[in-house]
Amino acid sequence: MAESYLSRGVSPTKEDVKEAIKTQNRGLYPGAFCKIVPDIAGDENYCSVIHADGAGTKSILAYLYYKETGDAEIFKGIAQDSLVMNIDDMLCVGAVNNFIVSNTIGRNAHRIDKNILKAVIEGYDEVIQRLKKYNINIYMAGGETADIGDLTPTVIVDSTVFARIERSKVLTCDNIKEDDVIIALGSYGKSVYENSYNSGIGSNGFTLARHVLLSSYYKDNYPETYSTTIDKEKIYSGKYRLTDKISASNQTVGEALLSPTRTYLPVINEILDKKFNEVHAIIHCTGGGIMKSKNFGKGLVYIKDNLFDVPEIFKEIQSAGNIPDKEMFSVFNMGHRMELYCNENNADEIINVIKKYNIDAKVIGKVEKNDNPTQNKVVIKHNGNSYIY
């Protein structure tokens, strides 16, 4: 169990949620990364995907940054976070183009003003225009701004995204096979379609990251940014202000934590266009970190023993919170947020496509058969230690 996370009121694996929905219909392709339903237009050759997600508590960091600097532009990145958490889940089933987006903003109007709303809306528009340069079409279909100060003391930024795809182009994680290799796509650096260096953190684990890194200054000055149900010792227990530099990095704490979540859509769009038959499955390493693959396939062991060097932001979080390796790997992406599964003899050409976009990529492991045909297992090997999930 991820104790550092759970003690702050968050479950990285959401076992209670899984229990609550276990009797629900799982759609046309139960082994897919996202739920897929019959085509809304009634075409038997197509199917529909609709997905809802958001920036989570990362929006609280943007709020703190805005309060400290007065710069509402930081919320443009939060819009990108909200969008990418949807489209990068959907690309895992083969939906890579022609998306319709509706956004939902829930705010406390006493604290979230028109400048922030404007920045969020412009943030959606800007990332959509950036992706259009790579022939990816995303259409905004309006949304809802709800003044719900009794529910949230700050702001929630969520999105719902819809797409239709041909059934012949659906990817399902049931296709993962024994002897497949695992290609990881780095979450850090500066891709050809990003404007600045990305720390790699994405949009997961922010309740933990925020509280272990930031100092009690934020507890004293911004009580609206934390829950009163958390043990006081767990609230903003770190040493940093948002404008402080991370010792082993060129970024400030605020820049690192607020790096907009990287989308892999331009990369995957090209890979699936050119090499669809070579890709067996795609997994987005979000909630659950890089043990996420445990939820997919059947009777498999995912061995990950050649990981990227851990980016500095994760080292800093781990050190500040004294968090065990095993928990870090179950909460954060630790350097890669996307995994592709394929035959070993196809790996090099796929990696070459990824690297064209200035994104690190390599084979980080392989898939083996599990002795128990009904269960999966993830084995992570790091710094001479093995962690089994």
PDB file of all heavy atoms in Angstrom, residues 354-380:
ATOM      1  N   ILE A 354      10.059   7.313 -32.547  1.00  0.00           N
ATOM      2  CA  ILE A 354       9.888   8.097 -31.318  1.00  0.00           C
ATOM      3  C   ILE A 354      10.993   9.133 -31.164  1.00  0.00           C
ATOM      4  O   ILE A 354      10.737  10.306 -30.846  1.00  0.00           O
ATOM      5  CB  ILE A 354       9.860   7.159 -30.091  1.00  0.00           C
ATOM      6  CG1 ILE A 354       8.688   6.183 -30.174  1.00  0.00           C
ATOM      7  CG2 ILE A 354       9.772   7.977 -28.794  1.00  0.00           C
ATOM      8  CD1 ILE A 354       8.770   5.022 -29.200  1.00  0.00           C
ATOM      9  N   LYS A 355      12.224   8.730 -31.430  1.00  0.00           N
ATOM     10  CA  LYS A 355      13.361   9.629 -31.220  1.00  0.00           C
ATOM     11  C   LYS A 355      13.371  10.794 -32.198  1.00  0.00           C
ATOM     12  O   LYS A 355      13.990  11.823 -31.924  1.00  0.00           O
ATOM     13  CB  LYS A 355      14.667   8.836 -31.288  1.00  0.00           C
ATOM     14  CG  LYS A 355      14.878   7.931 -30.067  1.00  0.00           C
ATOM     15  CD  LYS A 355      16.244   7.279 -30.071  1.00  0.00           C
ATOM     16  CE  LYS A 355      16.497   6.523 -28.764  1.00  0.00           C
ATOM     17  NZ  LYS A 355      17.832   5.880 -28.728  1.00  0.00           N
ATOM     18  N   LYS A 356      12.684  10.660 -33.329  1.00  0.00           N
ATOM     19  CA  LYS A 356      12.553  11.785 -34.263  1.00  0.00           C
ATOM     20  C   LYS A 356      11.919  12.998 -33.590  1.00  0.00           C
ATOM     21  O   LYS A 356      12.133  14.137 -33.987  1.00  0.00           O
ATOM     22  CB  LYS A 356      11.683  11.384 -35.456  1.00  0.00           C
ATOM     23  CG  LYS A 356      12.388  10.591 -36.522  1.00  0.00           C
ATOM     24  CD  LYS A 356      11.502  10.309 -37.730  1.00  0.00           C
ATOM     25  CE  LYS A 356      10.142  10.916 -37.727  1.00  0.00           C
ATOM     26  NZ  LYS A 356       9.316  10.520 -38.899  1.00  0.00           N
ATOM     27  N   TYR A 357      11.114  12.739 -32.572  1.00  0.00           N
ATOM     28  CA  TYR A 357      10.409  13.810 -31.865  1.00  0.00           C
ATOM     29  C   TYR A 357      11.194  14.312 -30.649  1.00  0.00           C
ATOM     30  O   TYR A 357      10.661  15.043 -29.820  1.00  0.00           O
ATOM     31  CB  TYR A 357       9.031  13.310 -31.428  1.00  0.00           C
ATOM     32  CG  TYR A 357       8.091  13.074 -32.584  1.00  0.00           C
ATOM     33  CD1 TYR A 357       8.120  11.872 -33.296  1.00  0.00           C
ATOM     34  CD2 TYR A 357       7.184  14.048 -32.990  1.00  0.00           C
ATOM     35  CE1 TYR A 357       7.266  11.655 -34.372  1.00  0.00           C
ATOM     36  CE2 TYR A 357       6.326  13.835 -34.056  1.00  0.00           C
ATOM     37  CZ  TYR A 357       6.375  12.637 -34.743  1.00  0.00           C
ATOM     38  OH  TYR A 357       5.527  12.417 -35.819  1.00  0.00           O
ATOM     39  N   ASN A 358      12.463  13.918 -30.584  1.00  0.00           N
ATOM     40  CA  ASN A 358      13.335  14.294 -29.465  1.00  0.00           C
ATOM     41  C   ASN A 358      12.772  13.820 -28.125  1.00  0.00           C
ATOM     42  O   ASN A 358      12.815  14.530 -27.110  1.00  0.00           O
ATOM     43  CB  ASN A 358      13.581  15.810 -29.421  1.00  0.00           C
ATOM     44  CG  ASN A 358      14.838  16.150 -28.632  1.00  0.00           C
ATOM     45  OD1 ASN A 358      15.805  15.387 -28.619  1.00  0.00           O
ATOM     46  ND2 ASN A 358      14.827  17.291 -27.953  1.00  0.00           N
ATOM     47  N   ILE A 359      12.258  12.606 -28.134  1.00  0.00           N
ATOM     48  CA  ILE A 359      11.772  11.945 -26.923  1.00  0.00           C
ATOM     49  C   ILE A 359      12.603  10.685 -26.727  1.00  0.00           C
ATOM     50  O   ILE A 359      12.757   9.879 -27.651  1.00  0.00           O
ATOM     51  CB  ILE A 359      10.281  11.576 -27.054  1.00  0.00           C
ATOM     52  CG1 ILE A 359       9.433  12.850 -27.123  1.00  0.00           C
ATOM     53  CG2 ILE A 359       9.829  10.702 -25.895  1.00  0.00           C
ATOM     54  CD1 ILE A 359       7.969  12.600 -27.410  1.00  0.00           C
ATOM     55  N   ASP A 360      13.153  10.521 -25.534  1.00  0.00           N
ATOM     56  CA  ASP A 360      13.933   9.323 -25.245  1.00  0.00           C
ATOM     57  C   ASP A 360      13.048   8.085 -25.313  1.00  0.00           C
ATOM     58  O   ASP A 360      11.888   8.109 -24.883  1.00  0.00           O
ATOM     59  CB  ASP A 360      14.562   9.411 -23.850  1.00  0.00           C
ATOM     60  CG  ASP A 360      15.833  10.238 -23.850  1.00  0.00           C
ATOM     61  OD1 ASP A 360      16.310  10.592 -24.938  1.00  0.00           O
ATOM     62  OD2 ASP A 360      16.348  10.534 -22.752  1.00  0.00           O
ATOM     63  N   ALA A 361      13.595   7.008 -25.839  1.00  0.00           N
ATOM     64  CA  ALA A 361      12.855   5.757 -25.934  1.00  0.00           C
ATOM     65  C   ALA A 361      13.840   4.596 -25.916  1.00  0.00           C
ATOM     66  O   ALA A 361      14.937   4.688 -26.472  1.00  0.00           O
ATOM     67  CB  ALA A 361      12.025   5.708 -27.215  1.00  0.00           C
ATOM     68  N   LYS A 362      13.461   3.516 -25.279  1.00  0.00           N
ATOM     69  CA  LYS A 362      14.281   2.306 -25.274  1.00  0.00           C
ATOM     70  C   LYS A 362      13.454   1.135 -24.763  1.00  0.00           C
ATOM     71  O   LYS A 362      12.356   1.314 -24.195  1.00  0.00           O
ATOM     72  CB  LYS A 362      15.522   2.482 -24.412  1.00  0.00           C
ATOM     73  CG  LYS A 362      15.257   2.640 -22.920  1.00  0.00           C
ATOM     74  CD  LYS A 362      16.589   2.689 -22.152  1.00  0.00           C
ATOM     75  CE  LYS A 362      16.367   2.820 -20.655  1.00  0.00           C
ATOM     76  NZ  LYS A 362      17.651   2.785 -19.898  1.00  0.00           N
ATOM     77  N   VAL A 363      13.969  -0.063 -24.962  1.00  0.00           N
ATOM     78  CA  VAL A 363      13.349  -1.262 -24.400  1.00  0.00           C
ATOM     79  C   VAL A 363      13.710  -1.310 -22.914  1.00  0.00           C
ATOM     80  O   VAL A 363      14.885  -1.337 -22.561  1.00  0.00           O
ATOM     81  CB  VAL A 363      13.828  -2.534 -25.113  1.00  0.00           C
ATOM     82  CG1 VAL A 363      13.328  -3.783 -24.384  1.00  0.00           C
ATOM     83  CG2 VAL A 363      13.353  -2.540 -26.566  1.00  0.00           C
ATOM     84  N   ILE A 364      12.688  -1.298 -22.068  1.00  0.00           N
ATOM     85  CA  ILE A 364      12.937  -1.300 -20.614  1.00  0.00           C
ATOM     86  C   ILE A 364      12.654  -2.654 -19.970  1.00  0.00           C
ATOM     87  O   ILE A 364      12.877  -2.830 -18.778  1.00  0.00           O
ATOM     88  CB  ILE A 364      12.104  -0.232 -19.902  1.00  0.00           C
ATOM     89  CG1 ILE A 364      10.607  -0.480 -20.132  1.00  0.00           C
ATOM     90  CG2 ILE A 364      12.523   1.170 -20.318  1.00  0.00           C
ATOM     91  CD1 ILE A 364       9.722   0.045 -19.041  1.00  0.00           C
ATOM     92  N   GLY A 365      12.156  -3.595 -20.757  1.00  0.00           N
ATOM     93  CA  GLY A 365      11.854  -4.891 -20.154  1.00  0.00           C
ATOM     94  C   GLY A 365      11.144  -5.811 -21.120  1.00  0.00           C
ATOM     95  O   GLY A 365      11.127  -5.592 -22.337  1.00  0.00           O
ATOM     96  N   LYS A 366      10.528  -6.845 -20.578  1.00  0.00           N
ATOM     97  CA  LYS A 366       9.880  -7.859 -21.407  1.00  0.00           C
ATOM     98  C   LYS A 366       8.703  -8.457 -20.654  1.00  0.00           C
ATOM     99  O   LYS A 366       8.505  -8.221 -19.448  1.00  0.00           O
ATOM    100  CB  LYS A 366      10.887  -8.961 -21.755  1.00  0.00           C
ATOM    101  CG  LYS A 366      11.460  -9.659 -20.526  1.00  0.00           C
ATOM    102  CD  LYS A 366      12.520 -10.686 -20.907  1.00  0.00           C
ATOM    103  CE  LYS A 366      13.125 -11.335 -19.648  1.00  0.00           C
ATOM    104  NZ  LYS A 366      14.163 -12.331 -19.980  1.00  0.00           N
ATOM    105  N   VAL A 367       7.935  -9.269 -21.375  1.00  0.00           N
ATOM    106  CA  VAL A 367       6.768  -9.941 -20.811  1.00  0.00           C
ATOM    107  C   VAL A 367       7.031 -11.434 -20.765  1.00  0.00           C
ATOM    108  O   VAL A 367       7.512 -12.019 -21.747  1.00  0.00           O
ATOM    109  CB  VAL A 367       5.509  -9.653 -21.644  1.00  0.00           C
ATOM    110  CG1 VAL A 367       4.282 -10.328 -21.031  1.00  0.00           C
ATOM    111  CG2 VAL A 367       5.277  -8.149 -21.777  1.00  0.00           C
ATOM    112  N   GLU A 368       6.743 -12.041 -19.631  1.00  0.00           N
ATOM    113  CA  GLU A 368       6.866 -13.493 -19.486  1.00  0.00           C
ATOM    114  C   GLU A 368       5.533 -14.082 -19.036  1.00  0.00           C
ATOM    115  O   GLU A 368       4.640 -13.363 -18.580  1.00  0.00           O
ATOM    116  CB  GLU A 368       7.964 -13.839 -18.469  1.00  0.00           C
ATOM    117  CG  GLU A 368       9.355 -13.442 -18.927  1.00  0.00           C
ATOM    118  CD  GLU A 368      10.437 -13.894 -17.949  1.00  0.00           C
ATOM    119  OE1 GLU A 368      10.079 -14.383 -16.850  1.00  0.00           O
ATOM    120  OE2 GLU A 368      11.628 -13.752 -18.288  1.00  0.00           O
ATOM    121  N   LYS A 369       5.429 -15.376 -19.171  1.00  0.00           N
ATOM    122  CA  LYS A 369       4.228 -16.078 -18.728  1.00  0.00           C
ATOM    123  C   LYS A 369       4.258 -16.264 -17.222  1.00  0.00           C
ATOM    124  O   LYS A 369       5.284 -16.621 -16.648  1.00  0.00           O
ATOM    125  CB  LYS A 369       4.147 -17.442 -19.426  1.00  0.00           C
ATOM    126  CG  LYS A 369       2.868 -18.217 -19.158  1.00  0.00           C
ATOM    127  CD  LYS A 369       2.863 -19.516 -19.959  1.00  0.00           C
ATOM    128  CE  LYS A 369       1.589 -20.297 -19.716  1.00  0.00           C
ATOM    129  NZ  LYS A 369       1.597 -21.579 -20.504  1.00  0.00           N
ATOM    130  N   ASN A 370       3.116 -16.014 -16.576  1.00  0.00           N
ATOM    131  CA  ASN A 370       3.014 -16.201 -15.123  1.00  0.00           C
ATOM    132  C   ASN A 370       2.600 -17.641 -14.818  1.00  0.00           C
ATOM    133  O   ASN A 370       1.834 -18.248 -15.571  1.00  0.00           O
ATOM    134  CB  ASN A 370       1.973 -15.225 -14.549  1.00  0.00           C
ATOM    135  CG  ASN A 370       2.072 -15.094 -13.037  1.00  0.00           C
ATOM    136  OD1 ASN A 370       2.925 -15.711 -12.403  1.00  0.00           O
ATOM    137  ND2 ASN A 370       1.203 -14.284 -12.453  1.00  0.00           N
ATOM    138  N   ASP A 371       3.114 -18.163 -13.726  1.00  0.00           N
ATOM    139  CA  ASP A 371       2.724 -19.519 -13.311  1.00  0.00           C
ATOM    140  C   ASP A 371       1.232 -19.598 -13.016  1.00  0.00           C
ATOM    141  O   ASP A 371       0.607 -20.640 -13.201  1.00  0.00           O
ATOM    142  CB  ASP A 371       3.518 -19.948 -12.073  1.00  0.00           C
ATOM    143  CG  ASP A 371       4.993 -20.137 -12.380  1.00  0.00           C
ATOM    144  OD1 ASP A 371       5.325 -20.387 -13.563  1.00  0.00           O
ATOM    145  OD2 ASP A 371       5.818 -20.027 -11.457  1.00  0.00           O
ATOM    146  N   ASN A 372       0.683 -18.494 -12.521  1.00  0.00           N
ATOM    147  CA  ASN A 372      -0.757 -18.426 -12.253  1.00  0.00           C
ATOM    148  C   ASN A 372      -1.443 -17.819 -13.472  1.00  0.00           C
ATOM    149  O   ASN A 372      -1.280 -16.635 -13.758  1.00  0.00           O
ATOM    150  CB  ASN A 372      -1.016 -17.567 -11.012  1.00  0.00           C
ATOM    151  CG  ASN A 372      -2.490 -17.572 -10.604  1.00  0.00           C
ATOM    152  OD1 ASN A 372      -3.372 -17.768 -11.426  1.00  0.00           O
ATOM    153  ND2 ASN A 372      -2.748 -17.353  -9.323  1.00  0.00           N
ATOM    154  N   PRO A 373      -2.221 -18.594 -14.221  1.00  0.00           N
ATOM    155  CA  PRO A 373      -2.795 -18.105 -15.485  1.00  0.00           C
ATOM    156  C   PRO A 373      -3.894 -17.067 -15.302  1.00  0.00           C
ATOM    157  O   PRO A 373      -4.341 -16.466 -16.289  1.00  0.00           O
ATOM    158  CB  PRO A 373      -3.361 -19.381 -16.127  1.00  0.00           C
ATOM    159  CG  PRO A 373      -3.648 -20.285 -14.968  1.00  0.00           C
ATOM    160  CD  PRO A 373      -2.603 -20.000 -13.950  1.00  0.00           C
ATOM    161  N   THR A 374      -4.359 -16.843 -14.086  1.00  0.00           N
ATOM    162  CA  THR A 374      -5.457 -15.891 -13.861  1.00  0.00           C
ATOM    163  C   THR A 374      -4.977 -14.568 -13.269  1.00  0.00           C
ATOM    164  O   THR A 374      -5.774 -13.649 -13.084  1.00  0.00           O
ATOM    165  CB  THR A 374      -6.515 -16.487 -12.918  1.00  0.00           C
ATOM    166  OG1 THR A 374      -5.945 -16.692 -11.621  1.00  0.00           O
ATOM    167  CG2 THR A 374      -7.049 -17.798 -13.461  1.00  0.00           C
ATOM    168  N   GLN A 375      -3.694 -14.482 -12.964  1.00  0.00           N
ATOM    169  CA  GLN A 375      -3.188 -13.261 -12.323  1.00  0.00           C
ATOM    170  C   GLN A 375      -1.979 -12.700 -13.065  1.00  0.00           C
ATOM    171  O   GLN A 375      -1.255 -13.427 -13.740  1.00  0.00           O
ATOM    172  CB  GLN A 375      -2.799 -13.540 -10.868  1.00  0.00           C
ATOM    173  CG  GLN A 375      -3.985 -13.847  -9.956  1.00  0.00           C
ATOM    174  CD  GLN A 375      -3.547 -14.021  -8.513  1.00  0.00           C
ATOM    175  OE1 GLN A 375      -2.370 -14.180  -8.225  1.00  0.00           O
ATOM    176  NE2 GLN A 375      -4.505 -13.975  -7.598  1.00  0.00           N
ATOM    177  N   ASN A 376      -1.777 -11.408 -12.903  1.00  0.00           N
ATOM    178  CA  ASN A 376      -0.600 -10.731 -13.443  1.00  0.00           C
ATOM    179  C   ASN A 376       0.337 -10.316 -12.319  1.00  0.00           C
ATOM    180  O   ASN A 376      -0.059 -10.219 -11.147  1.00  0.00           O
ATOM    181  CB  ASN A 376      -0.999  -9.486 -14.229  1.00  0.00           C
ATOM    182  CG  ASN A 376      -1.777  -9.803 -15.478  1.00  0.00           C
ATOM    183  OD1 ASN A 376      -1.592 -10.865 -16.075  1.00  0.00           O
ATOM    184  ND2 ASN A 376      -2.641  -8.896 -15.887  1.00  0.00           N
ATOM    185  N   LYS A 377       1.552 -10.031 -12.705  1.00  0.00           N
ATOM    186  CA  LYS A 377       2.558  -9.591 -11.733  1.00  0.00           C
ATOM    187  C   LYS A 377       3.483  -8.596 -12.434  1.00  0.00           C
ATOM    188  O   LYS A 377       3.782  -8.738 -13.623  1.00  0.00           O
ATOM    189  CB  LYS A 377       3.343 -10.807 -11.226  1.00  0.00           C
ATOM    190  CG  LYS A 377       4.355 -10.506 -10.150  1.00  0.00           C
ATOM    191  CD  LYS A 377       4.787 -11.794  -9.430  1.00  0.00           C
ATOM    192  CE  LYS A 377       5.448 -12.800 -10.346  1.00  0.00           C
ATOM    193  NZ  LYS A 377       5.975 -13.967  -9.595  1.00  0.00           N
ATOM    194  N   VAL A 378       3.909  -7.582 -11.703  1.00  0.00           N
ATOM    195  CA  VAL A 378       4.908  -6.645 -12.207  1.00  0.00           C
ATOM    196  C   VAL A 378       6.149  -6.768 -11.336  1.00  0.00           C
ATOM    197  O   VAL A 378       6.061  -6.734 -10.105  1.00  0.00           O
ATOM    198  CB  VAL A 378       4.399  -5.190 -12.183  1.00  0.00           C
ATOM    199  CG1 VAL A 378       5.505  -4.220 -12.609  1.00  0.00           C
ATOM    200  CG2 VAL A 378       3.187  -5.029 -13.087  1.00  0.00           C
ATOM    201  N   VAL A 379       7.301  -6.918 -11.984  1.00  0.00           N
ATOM    202  CA  VAL A 379       8.583  -6.983 -11.283  1.00  0.00           C
ATOM    203  C   VAL A 379       9.436  -5.817 -11.764  1.00  0.00           C
ATOM    204  O   VAL A 379       9.770  -5.731 -12.952  1.00  0.00           O
ATOM    205  CB  VAL A 379       9.306  -8.322 -11.534  1.00  0.00           C
ATOM    206  CG1 VAL A 379      10.648  -8.338 -10.795  1.00  0.00           C
ATOM    207  CG2 VAL A 379       8.438  -9.500 -11.119  1.00  0.00           C
ATOM    208  N   ILE A 380       9.771  -4.912 -10.850  1.00  0.00           N
ATOM    209  CA  ILE A 380      10.623  -3.771 -11.174  1.00  0.00           C
ATOM    210  C   ILE A 380      11.979  -3.970 -10.521  1.00  0.00           C
ATOM    211  O   ILE A 380      12.069  -4.204  -9.309  1.00  0.00           O
ATOM    212  CB  ILE A 380       9.983  -2.453 -10.698  1.00  0.00           C
ATOM    213  CG1 ILE A 380       8.678  -2.199 -11.459  1.00  0.00           C
ATOM    214  CG2 ILE A 380      10.948  -1.275 -10.893  1.00  0.00           C
ATOM    215  CD1 ILE A 380       7.878  -1.033 -10.948  1.00  0.00           C
TER     216      ILE A 380
END
